[in-house]
Amino acid sequence: MFTTNRRVALFVSSILLLIAAVILVFQQTQNQPWQQYQRMYFKRTQQPADIRVRQVVPQLTGQPELCLSCHMGLAEISPSHPVEAFGCISCHGGNGLSLKADQAHTGLRGGKNPGDLLVAQESCGLNCHNGFADEGKNHVDGVLRSLQGTYAGGIAQVRFSFGAQSTETPLYGVYGITDDHPATAAGLAELTAFPAQSGHPIDQKFAENCLDAGCHLSAAPRAEPYFYRSTGCAACHVIYQNDGLYQGSDPTIPPDEPGHMRRHELTAAIPFYQCNHCHNRGNYSLRQMDFLLRDDLPPAGAPISAQMPAEGRRLREYYQPIGEFTLCEWELDCIECHTSAEIMGDGDIHPKQQEMQYTQCHTCHGTLEELPTVVTVSAQHQTALRQAQINPNYTLNIGDQVIITERGELMGNTKQVDGRLILTSKVTGKTYPVNPVMGSGCQQTVAEQESRYCHQCHAYAR
Ligand code: HEC
Ligand code: HEC
Ligand code: HEC
Ligand code: HEC
Ligand code: HEC
Ligand code: HEC
Ligand code: HEC
């Protein structure tokens, strides 16, 4: 009797213990970080919770990836890189089989940014954006050798002026870089990494004030409103708001922590303020060896973009007050006028900016004696057709008539219809007439085509 009772008691308590253990294990498995992120996601987006492991098997690799189990709600990066084909690891690296963050993130390329210049060759270049016979498609080589990356001209100018080198020909870049086959006469074969430790005082100062806290493609930005941006390819193609806040719904990215992309999105429709995270934020004073900030924008707190509607803020934010500009220079976006090769480079290491900045006012408006040059689009114009295809704001078809630059690039968003040129913004889709100088009442001197001459009569007051 006694023994039976004891046995029953023992049996009951071990069952209870087992149940308790099962509940505990169940609770723990329900409370894994990935499940918590999904709960946060469903709460934030006010959807009924549907918590389960999310697996993708991308066509390009055939290997399962569990990243989206935590990064739920992260936008597909672009229509050219669909999740079903690319997954996450083809760009980011990492370990797709783990549901633990530290294990999953082992081997991430470039930290948060696989487009950083240190890893772009591997993340973006391999089989995709490099290695073609057509130089126009080798964007990784182009960007690495571009002046926005190397700053070769600026460095040479400073070192020459302060007696640190005896020639004006660039010897150094922000980083070292080579080119086995320069395609132009001025193209350099090599730049050595900037000698910050050379012992020359100018090198040390320049490294501190300009290169490290700088606006070159490889440099981290200042952590301040207006400056927030990423590096490398993402410095232009991943948009940052002026306040640096994330607007998407991935629960792992805090929406109130400045310094994140606006959305997980690569775009070629780059708005002016993205370029201005580096350009037009202030002036570098050679004499003071220091960067002087613009004083017409709020230095702290919410940027103007958060306070004003886009229309009014544009004129204010666009350019520095010291400059003079025509209507189209602040009304249009930078990429309307500046071509892909001007911006991403043409594959050569150029010694100075003047060689790579060739769009001029007359490219679009012509002169008193000439209309702008227009060509008919044919199948050979692959770059322009590709650019139009990935941009949702304008179309380009074989047979269209568009402006061509002196280096043979098409401005695919301009179109000649019934003898009149129309420009469709690559960023907003708005259309504008492009009126020719010829036949207007313009009083320009044909030999004086630089913008400073035009601004004498066409400056726009703000
Ligand atoms: C267990 C949840 C979890 C999984 C699984 C996971 N992540 Fe993350 N990830 C996070 C969290 C949380 C962060 C926020 C920063 C941090 O805590 O590391 C993050 C940050 C990142 C970042 C930014 C890193 C940085 O340095 O700022 C990248 C890129 C990223 N994850 C990619 C991936 C990829 C690719 C995978 C799959 C291979 C993956 N993650 C799997 C939770 C996860
Ligand atoms: C085509 C390449 C590409 C693919 C594919 C891709 N990403 Fe990204 N991702 C990027 C780039 C570029 C950035 C850098 C943004 C930046 O530097 O601000 C980024 C940023 C991120 C961040 C950083 C967030 C932050 O600000 O802390 C996370 C997290 C992330 N990606 C996760 C993923 C996950 C998960 C997948 C798969 C669903 C994925 N990515 C697919 C290119 C890609
Ligand atoms: C300084 C800004 C900037 C940087 C940095 C940059 N791009 Fe671009 N990219 C542009 C602009 C501007 C365009 C052209 C958009 C237009 O006018 O249609 C473009 C277009 C492209 C296109 C589409 C058009 C084409 O020719 O196929 C690809 C692909 C591209 N970039 C890849 C890259 C890669 C890869 C990197 C990094 C190695 C990179 N970009 C870095 C500004 C930049
Ligand atoms: C990461 C910072 C950064 C971003 C973002 C950036 N630039 Fe630049 N840009 C530079 C630097 C640095 C130079 C080199 C200046 C020099 O050599 O004197 C430069 C030079 C230029 C030049 C002169 C020609 C050349 O190739 O050197 C043009 C035009 C230009 N940028 C346009 C743009 C446009 C348009 C965008 C946006 C699509 C943009 N930039 C985005 C930093 C940047
Ligand atoms: C309406 C066309 C147009 C727009 C829009 C435009 N630019 Fe320019 N940009 C030019 C022209 C033309 C020149 C050459 C000026 C000259 O002839 O003296 C130039 C020169 C430059 C230069 C080299 C000379 C210098 O002043 O440093 C840079 C860098 C530059 N632009 C960057 C930008 C950026 C960044 C934006 C957007 C914020 C932008 N541009 C918007 C037409 C434009
Ligand atoms: C990409 C082509 C393009 C380039 C390059 C360009 N413009 Fe324009 N321009 C336009 C367009 C488009 C308009 C029409 C804007 C509108 O109607 O709102 C315009 C309008 C004008 C006007 C008439 C509006 C006014 O201010 O009264 C003048 C003058 C002008 N541009 C001068 C210039 C000067 C000077 C430059 C060089 C700094 C230049 N443009 C470079 C496209 C261009
Ligand atoms: C000495 C003054 C002067 C200079 C310098 C000048 N312009 Fe003009 N421009 C004018 C006048 C005046 C008009 C006629 C305005 C009108 O009809 O409303 C005009 C008209 C134009 C128009 C036609 C605008 C339209 O909407 O029909 C364009 C485009 C233009 N100029 C571009 C330029 C460019 C580019 C330069 C520099 C290479 C330049 N101008 C230099 C005075 C000048």
Side-chain angles (χ1 to χ4, degrees):
M1 185 70 183
F2 177 74
T3 39
T4 323
N5 267 351
R6 250 185 73 182
R7 269 194 202 147
V8 169
L10 203 69
F11 180 71
V12 169
S13 56
S14 47
I15 291 282
L16 284 177
L17 254 173
L18 194 71
I19 291 173
V22 167
I23 289 175
L24 199 74
V25 168
F26 183 74
Q27 269 181 347
Q28 267 178 359
T29 51
Q30 288 300 293
N31 247 332
Q32 296 292 311
W34 66 269
Q35 289 160 316
Q36 292 168 10
Y37 289 124
Q38 291 197 17
R39 257 184 232 116
M40 274 165 74
Y41 168 78
F42 287 115
K43 200 166 157 212
R44 230 191 255 173
T45 56
Q46 300 183 330
Q47 296 177 56
D50 170 20
I51 293 164
R52 57 194 159 82
V53 170
R54 317 265 156 177
Q55 176 179 293
V56 177
V57 184
Q59 289 138 12
L60 284 177
T61 64
Q63 303 294 318
E65 298 182 1
L66 304 179
C67 317
L68 281 171
S69 305
C70 293
H71 291 287
M72 237 192 124
L74 188 80
E76 177 170 276
I77 187 108
S78 85
S80 324
H81 308 90
V83 176
E84 313 86 71
F86 286 79
C88 315
I89 293 181
S90 37
C91 290
H92 282 285
N95 169 6
L97 294 177
S98 178
L99 281 171
K100 296 219 160 60
D102 50 346
Q103 287 170 5
H105 295 154
T106 305
L108 276 190
R109 273 194 289 271
K112 78 167 176 183
N113 179 16
D116 188 83
L117 290 187
L118 287 174
V119 294
Q121 203 63 272
E122 206 186 334
S123 323
C124 320
L126 274 185
N127 309 320
C128 297
H129 298 294
N130 230 20
F132 296 97
D134 171 3
E135 286 260 8
K137 287 169 85 174
N138 296 341
H139 296 307
V140 180
D141 279 351
V143 169
L144 280 166
R145 292 176 189 151
S146 76
L147 283 156
Q148 316 209 46
T150 66
Y151 201 46
I155 293 173
Q157 201 194 336
V158 170
R159 298 191 87 250
F160 179 74
S161 321
F162 287 89
Q165 70 185 56
S166 56
T167 128
E168 275 183 280
T169 307
L171 309 170
Y172 302 104
V174 171
Y175 43 79
I177 185 87
T178 57
D179 180 5
D180 297 339
H181 306 288
T184 59
L188 302 170
E190 188 181 16
L191 295 171
T192 310
F194 186 77
Q197 314 298 334
S198 69
H200 197 288
I202 213 62
D203 286 340
Q204 199 189 335
K205 192 109 199 267
F206 193 57
E208 275 167 22
N209 290 347
C210 182
L211 300 185
D212 294 346
C215 35
H216 315 288
L217 293 178
S218 53
R222 289 170 181 245
E224 282 171 43
Y226 297 105
F227 289 90
Y228 293 115
R229 60 162 173 84
S230 190
T231 56
C233 313
C236 293
H237 288 292
V238 177
I239 309 304
Y240 276 57
Q241 293 295 109
N242 285 333
D243 59 12
L245 294 178
Y246 177 58
Q247 299 179 345
S249 32
D250 180 333
T252 73
I253 307 172
D256 53 357
E257 178 186 272
H260 292 278
M261 59 197 181
R262 171 181 68 182
R263 275 190 292 277
H264 189 244
E265 180 180 51
L266 283 173
T267 182
I270 303 163
F272 78 93
Y273 59 86
Q274 182 72 15
C275 310
N276 275 359
H277 294 321
C278 295
H279 289 275
N280 301 317
R281 288 281 67 92
N283 279 309
Y284 195 79
S285 156
L286 266 185
R287 204 163 43 83
Q288 288 161 270
M289 286 305 269
D290 220 343
F291 187 73
L292 310 175
L293 289 175
R294 270 177 81 160
D295 57 10
D296 63 324
L297 296 174
I304 293 176
S305 43
Q307 305 167 17
M308 268 173 106
E311 293 296 321
R313 82 180 223 229
R314 201 174 172 100
L315 179 57
R316 185 119 177 250
E317 279 189 328
Y318 211 107
Y319 282 110
Q320 305 194 42
I322 54 163
E324 287 195 311
F325 302 98
T326 327
L327 175 69
C328 54
E329 286 178 276
W330 61 266
E331 202 178 42
L332 303 180
D333 281 274
C334 322
I335 64 168
E336 251 75 87
C337 298
H338 293 290
T339 65
S340 170
E342 274 186 296
I343 301 168
M344 282 196 291
D346 64 355
D348 272 11
I349 305 174
H350 286 279
K352 44 176 171 315
Q353 183 179 286
Q354 288 81 330
E355 272 177 33
M356 278 318 285
Q357 201 288 296
Y358 45 85
T359 299
Q360 288 206 296
C361 312
H362 68 72
T363 310
C364 288
H365 294 292
T367 67
L368 277 177
E369 291 170 357
E370 275 179 331
L371 289 170
T373 317
V374 168
V375 291
T376 304
V377 179
S378 73
Q380 78 177 54
H381 297 118
Q382 282 304 314
T383 304
L385 290 164
R386 210 166 58 231
Q387 284 172 351
Q389 207 194 346
I390 58 173
N391 188 312
N393 300 315
Y394 73 99
T395 54
L396 181 67
N397 295 303
I398 290 176
D400 285 348
Q401 293 194 298
V402 306
I403 294 177
I404 183 168
T405 70
E406 60 180 56
R407 299 208 188 167
E409 291 164 290
L410 304 198
M411 293 185 151
N413 61 330
T414 59
K415 227 145 273 162
Q416 187 157 278
V417 184
D418 301 332
R420 296 181 46 124
L421 275 163
I422 305 287
L423 178 146
T424 306
S425 166
K426 291 175 178 173
V427 180
T428 65
K430 275 205 229 168
T431 56
Y432 303 89
V434 192
N435 292 339
V437 169
M438 210 167 120
S440 76
C442 183
Q443 295 156 3
Q444 64 168 248
T445 306
V446 174
E448 296 177 342
Q449 288 300 319
E450 279 172 54
S451 61
R452 63 191 157 102
Y453 298 114
C454 319
H455 290 147
Q456 286 168 8
C457 302
H458 291 293
Y460 197 91
R462 24 177 187 185

